[in-house]
């Protein structure tokens, strides 16, 4: 999600997904290679969905990959390539990673080793200490797991904007095949398609964000009610567990030398860096140092797994009754982990369904993780200019045109909003929570966005300001789910709610009525003015 530049608020049109996977690609990831397994690190995935774990070589995995994979370019594989390259972008984990599974299968098919490459540079939108340090701390955990289980993983930190930006190109030049993540926001797809034009080998993008493979849906869905039954039919089979293992062919010393030569720059020695050293490295980057890390949120796959277990055992049992209580916050706290790919949606849903938290709580939570998350991903995947006003349905265009000149009795500048300097105590508390913790409670976040629609001089200002504030500060910013939430504030997936000043037909939500949903006073006291000091 972090690379050479595609501002989120500029919509992106990429070649359409091809659900009918090209025949030339199928043998690469669907073959049934023979040989001895290397070390297996499948988790203890006992579940109600299957009595056994699917082999990585199984037809089940093949079918999942066919539905999740997009061919980025029309180029052929390079038989003389030294390895299969997995370019880790948005799925920053070594487990339940369909792109990594595809890369392992391809490597085994042709008896080549696998190289996992990850990097970060200072040109991603709203590049800051908050996001960069989060990525580096999580990458250190990935490096530890890679060493433990025998993956060959490397991380390159590009510190300055004029530093070498073609590391992936050089690695791809020596690769048999390149596999990467499919992710429609945060510039990931934009970078992927640009790389596909430059490299001389085949490039595949594989989606690991959704429970149900995104390729099984062929168009943008209109609303939660249209996508929910489609996902429900496919959910349980998509949750069946799969073995996790490394590629069978080890990386030789000669191939390692080829990789080091192609990389040209030193890989970051993550395993040798403590927290202070990582912070020092981040301080040398050409990024925004005013947006500071969130010390209260530990990033990485192990911490995400612990957050999931804590939520399932301590809060899920009261989720449905208390999820809107912003002062207590009975939500999962997993949104940043899902965004960075430190936890998979499948393992989250599986854990909830296997819990004893009660059907009402489990159903409500699973609907959030599947229906609403995957509706957002679907929107971003199939909608050109998914984050722009002109992507919204016609009825919204008409109501905005009719009310664009309505007088706003109360307006603020972006600078006032960013500093939480409005006359609304609840809104200010939400903004302070965002600035300090990188999150806003789910229900308060809806109110936060709707108030910006009321206060911004124009609807376009409201859209742009919501994206600016969210993507700059939120740990889950630049995510399809964030896009969906912001566009929902502007009417997406909703119906007309009458015809009121400023709102037109948009659903009105006022902070003055929030007391019916949660204890506003306690929430405001928790995020009072002193939290910004």
């Amino acid at each position: 999600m972090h690379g050479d530049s595609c501002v989120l608020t500029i919509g992106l049109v990429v070649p359409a997904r091809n659900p009918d996977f090209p025949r030339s690609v199928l043998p690469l990831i669907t073959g049934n290679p023979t040989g001895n397994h290397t070390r297996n690190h499948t988790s203890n995935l006992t579940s109600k969905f299957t009595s056994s774990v699917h082999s990585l070589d199984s037809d089940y995995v093949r079918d999942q990959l066919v539905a999740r994979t997009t061919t980025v370019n029309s180029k052929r594989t390079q038989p003389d390539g030294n390895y299969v390259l997995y370019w880790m972008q948005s799925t920053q984990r070594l487990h339940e990673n369909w792109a990594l599974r595809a890369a392992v299968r391809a490597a085994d098919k042709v008896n080549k080793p696998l190289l996992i490459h990850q990097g970060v540079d200072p040109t991603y939108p709203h590049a800051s200490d908050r996001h960069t340090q989060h990525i580096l701390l999580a990458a250190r955990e990935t490096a530890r797991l890679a060493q433990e289980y025998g993956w060959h993983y490397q991380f390159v930190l590009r510190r300055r904007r004029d530093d070498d930006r073609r590391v992936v190109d050089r690695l791809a030049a020596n690769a048999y095949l390149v596999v990467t993540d499919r992710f429609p926001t945060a510039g990931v797809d934009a970078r992927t398609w640009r790389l596909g034009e430059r490299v001389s080998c085949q490039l595949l993008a594989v989606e690991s964000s959704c429970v149900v493979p995104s390729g099984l849906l062929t168009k943008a869905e209109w609303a939660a009610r249209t996508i929910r039954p489609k996902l429900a039919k496919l959910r349980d089979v998509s949750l069946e567990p799969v073995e996790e293992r490394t590629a069978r062919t080890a990386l030789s010393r000669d191939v390692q030398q080829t990789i080091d030569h192609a990389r040209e720059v030193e890989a970051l020695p993550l395993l040798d860096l403590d927290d202070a050293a990582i912070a020092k490295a981040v301080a040398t980057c050409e990024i925004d140092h005013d947006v500071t890390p969130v010390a209260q949120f530990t990033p990485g796959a192990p911490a995400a797994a612990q957050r999931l277990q804590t939520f399932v055992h301590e809060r899920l049992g009261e989720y449905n009754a208390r999820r809107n209580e912003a002062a207590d916050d009975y939500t999962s706290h997993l949104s940043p982990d899902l965004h960075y790919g430190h936890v998979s949606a499948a393992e989250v849903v599986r854990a909830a369904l296997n819990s004893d938290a009660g059907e009402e709580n489990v159903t409500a939570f699973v609907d959030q993780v599947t229906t609403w998350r995957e509706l957002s991903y679907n929107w971003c995947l199939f909608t050109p200019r998914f984050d722009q006003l002109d992507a919204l349905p016609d009825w919204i265009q008409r109501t905005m045109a009719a009310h664009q000149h309505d007088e706003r009795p109360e307006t603020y500048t972006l600078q006032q909003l960013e500093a939480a300097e409005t006359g609304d105590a609840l809104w200010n508390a939400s903004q302070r929570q965002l600035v300090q913790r990188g999150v806003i409670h789910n229900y308060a976040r809806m109110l936060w966005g709707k108030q910006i629609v009321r206060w911004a001089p124009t609807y376009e200002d409201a859209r742009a300001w919501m994206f600016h504030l969210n993507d700059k500060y939120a740990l889950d910013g630049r995510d399809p789910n964030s896009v969906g939430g912001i566009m929902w504030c502007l009417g997406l997936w909703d119906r007309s709610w009458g015809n009121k000043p400023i709102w037109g037909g948009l659903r009105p939500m006022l902070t003055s009525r929030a007391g019916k949903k949660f204890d506003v006073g306690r929430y405001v006291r928790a995020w009072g003015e002193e939290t910004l000091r």
Side-chain angles (χ1 to χ4, degrees), residues 146-164:
Q147 183 182 67
E148 180 179 355
Y149 291 110
W151 298 99
H152 189 88
Y153 167 85
Q154 65 180 25
F155 189 101
V156 170
L157 175 63
R158 180 176 158 216
R159 302 168 193 260
R160 314 294 297 178
R161 289 177 173 268
D162 58 357
D163 285 350
D164 183 359

Side-chain angles (χ1 to χ4, degrees), residues 42-55:
T42 301
S43 302
N44 180 22
L45 296 174
T46 56
S47 91
K48 65 180 71 172
F49 307 107
T50 181
S51 58
S52 62
V53 177
H54 290 289
S55 165

Side-chain angles (χ1 to χ4, degrees), residues 9-10 18 48 56 67 85 90 115 142 155 169 179 201 212 222 226 244 248 259 263 266 296 349 388 393 402 460 496:
T9 53
I10 298 177
N18 184 357
K48 65 180 71 172
L56 194 58
L85 173 63
S90 57
L115 169 64
T142 303
F155 189 101
D169 293 62
V179 181
C201 70
V212 174
W222 288 103
T226 68
E244 307 285 6
R248 294 186 173 102
I259 292 169
R263 197 178 57 237
E266 288 295 320
Q296 296 84 357
V349 172
Q388 301 296 305
E460 171 55 26
S496 176

Side-chain angles (χ1 to χ4, degrees), residues 8-19:
L8 179 63
T9 53
I10 298 177
L12 168 67
V13 181
V14 298
R17 156 175 300 283
N18 184 357

Side-chain angles (χ1 to χ4, degrees), residues 395 399-400 403 406 459 496-506:
W395 75 266
T399 200
M400 287 184 174
H403 291 272
D406 286 4
Y459 298 113
S496 176
W497 286 72
N499 188 24
K500 299 178 178 64
I502 302 175
W503 298 107
L506 301 182

Side-chain angles (χ1 to χ4, degrees), residues 18-33 56-71 73 75-77 101-110 176-177 179 202-204 206:
N18 184 357
D20 300 319
F21 207 68
R23 294 182 181 273
S24 61
V25 178
L26 281 171
L28 301 179
I29 62 174
T30 64
N32 293 296
L56 194 58
D57 303 324
S58 66
D59 290 348
Y60 173 84
V61 173
R62 174 201 62 197
D63 294 343
Q64 285 281 315
L65 287 173
V66 167
R68 293 179 184 272
T69 305
T70 303
T71 309
N73 57 21
K75 298 169 185 178
R76 298 180 179 273
T77 55
R101 288 167 175 169
V104 170
R105 285 174 63 110
D108 287 351
K109 177 67 176 177
V110 292
Y176 169 80
L177 167 75
V179 181
Q202 190 168 67
L203 174 58
L204 307 178
V206 184

